[in-house]
Amino acid sequence: MEQIFLSTATEFKEIDTFASGTWINLVNPSQSEAIEVAERYNIDISDLRAPLDAEETSRILVEDNYKLIIVDVPISEERNNRTYYVTIPLGIIVTEEVVITTCLEKLPLFDFFINRRLRNFYTFMKSRFVFQILYRNAAIYLAALRQIDRKSEEIESQMHESTRNEELIELMELEKTIIYFKASLKMNERIVKKLVASSYLLKKYEEDEDLLEDTLVETQQAIEMADIYGNILKGMTDTFGSIISNNQNMIMKTLALATMVLSIPTMIFSAYGMNFVDPNALPFNELPHAFWWIILGAFSISGLLIIYFIRKKWF
């Protein structure tokens, strides 16, 4: 899919033709779309399609007539009726005329720009546009990490009485997400540091330098949050693995005690169910209402055993 956006001082709109000062957004472009854009702006087709590889690493490439910046961005995906986060590469190509973004999937990151929820955004201010993308990307990482933290708290509230593995598996999925986030954020941090330190990669004004500094701070804060949440999740996974095992042991102990309590009436009733030649061989057989006395005695012994278990705090 190919979208071309143009902004002026008064409006922002989508257009159908290539023009100077525009933003070209490519979402999983076809081969023909990629070739058309590459030939129009003299870009190596392999550089244009590099971000479409999910395993592509973050980097900066400087060519004579364009600059390529690849960073990792977080997106959500559905697995087993649950929402998880993964990271995919985003390519940003800056030429003399336009800014080109290319990615494998449609990104929520760009909703801020397309829906005009970001101030001082103009497609013809190419360097600032790139810095704004990087800043919003760092902010989305922070929002995703907070969402992961809230999700882990919900799982924690469910696991105190849990004896199943579903919650533990979900915690492990969140822990895996944090690991991917940390790796991506550290690579993104290297990119931002290069842009902060370099004066030739992209043209910067004073406001742009402040924006880059803020982006670096946001990225580093996201890395610290990922470290903290990762350690918390690791501890929670280990702890709740033990809790689940302990809860299962408690259930087995309760069942064993219940079996012991019920075994006493079972043994007595089994004895009275035997056939003898002499009917009076069974104790209490000659008493009136013997049936009820035997039942009362059996359950009284069971009751005493229950009281004993309670005093021992085994129940």
Side-chain angles (χ1 to χ4, degrees):
M1 183 179 69
E2 177 184 280
Q3 295 175 294
I4 304 174
F5 299 99
L6 174 67
S7 63
T8 64
T10 57
E11 65 176 346
F12 175 83
K13 59 183 178 180
E14 185 174 355
I15 60 177
D16 298 326
T17 58
F18 296 113
S20 180
T22 58
W23 163 31
I24 302 173
N25 183 34
L26 302 176
V27 180
N28 195 17
S30 64
Q31 186 72 15
S32 60
E33 288 176 332
I35 291 174
E36 180 185 17
V37 174
E39 291 179 348
R40 174 69 175 78
Y41 297 103
N42 194 21
I43 300 171
D44 189 333
I45 187 65
S46 62
D47 291 336
L48 187 64
R49 295 188 63 84
L52 304 182
D53 180 4
E55 304 300 324
E56 187 70 27
T57 58
S58 300
R59 56 190 171 91
I60 296 178
L61 176 66
V62 179
E63 296 290 349
D64 293 336
N65 55 333
Y66 65 90
K67 300 174 181 66
L68 169 65
I69 301 172
I70 298 179
V71 294
D72 284 333
V73 296
I75 61 169
S76 60
E77 68 174 18
E78 294 290 331
R79 296 200 302 271
N80 300 324
N81 297 323
R82 291 186 175 92
T83 301
Y84 297 102
Y85 288 97
V86 295
T87 60
I88 59 174
L90 165 66
I92 307 170
I93 299 176
V94 183
T95 71
E96 289 295 329
E97 297 182 62
V98 297
V99 174
I100 304 169
T101 57
T102 177
C103 194
L104 198 57
E105 299 183 24
K106 184 179 179 181
L107 300 178
L109 166 66
F110 290 141
D111 292 342
F112 290 92
F113 301 93
I114 295 174
N115 298 327
R116 300 290 292 174
R117 289 187 289 183
L118 201 65
R119 294 184 302 172
N120 301 322
F121 159 57
Y122 304 101
T123 57
F124 57 84
M125 300 178 68
K126 297 186 291 295
S127 296
R128 181 171 299 177
F129 180 28
V130 173
F131 302 151
Q132 288 171 329
I133 290 175
L134 297 177
Y135 180 81
R136 289 308 314 170
N137 188 40
I140 289 176
Y141 269 108
L142 286 170
L145 286 167
R146 295 189 187 99
Q147 184 67 28
I148 290 172
D149 184 51
R150 286 194 291 269
K151 185 64 177 176
S152 67
E153 290 177 354
E154 292 176 7
I155 297 173
E156 180 182 1
S157 65
Q158 300 169 6
M159 289 191 67
H160 291 289
E161 302 297 331
S162 177
T163 57
R164 303 176 303 167
N165 291 328
E166 283 80 357
E167 291 85 359
L168 191 60
I169 292 172
E170 195 167 355
L171 274 182
M172 292 172 64
E173 287 285 349
L174 294 180
E175 187 178 353
K176 184 169 67 173
T177 299
I178 292 289
I179 292 172
Y180 289 148
F181 270 23
K182 286 170 62 177
S184 298
L185 283 165
K186 287 179 180 178
M187 295 297 291
N188 289 357
E189 182 188 26
R190 290 173 54 188
I191 299 298
V192 177
K193 284 183 176 179
K194 283 184 180 180
L195 292 173
V196 170
S198 174
S199 58
Y200 72 90
L201 288 175
L202 290 175
K203 186 177 180 180
K204 290 180 289 187
Y205 297 96
E206 184 176 350
E207 292 182 2
D208 298 333
E209 291 180 354
D210 293 339
L211 181 58
L212 263 182
E213 290 289 345
D214 291 341
T215 303
L216 181 59
V217 170
E218 291 279 297
T219 303
Q220 291 173 340
Q221 182 180 351
I223 292 173
E224 292 176 359
M225 286 179 62
D227 282 330
I228 294 171
Y229 293 160
N231 292 333
I232 292 173
L233 282 173
K234 181 174 177 58
M236 286 175 61
T237 303
D238 295 339
T239 301
F240 284 118
S242 300
I243 289 176
I244 288 176
S245 178
N246 186 61
N247 289 343
Q248 291 176 337
N249 291 338
M250 292 293 293
I251 292 174
M252 295 303 297
K253 185 183 78 171
T254 302
L255 291 175
L257 294 174
T259 302
M260 293 175 63
V261 170
L262 293 175
S263 66
I264 294 175
T266 301
M267 291 173 62
I268 294 174
F269 299 155
S270 298
Y272 275 86
M274 292 187 294
N275 296 319
F276 291 92
V277 176
D278 183 6
N280 295 322
L282 292 173
F284 312 113
N285 193 39
E286 70 282 358
L287 294 178
H289 308 296
F291 174 79
W292 298 110
W293 285 110
I294 293 169
I295 289 180
L296 178 62
F299 283 102
S300 297
I301 296 173
S302 295
L304 291 173
L305 187 59
I306 291 173
I307 294 172
Y308 174 77
F309 287 155
I310 291 175
R311 290 176 64 87
K312 287 289 187 178
K313 296 182 179 180
W314 290 355
F315 265 127

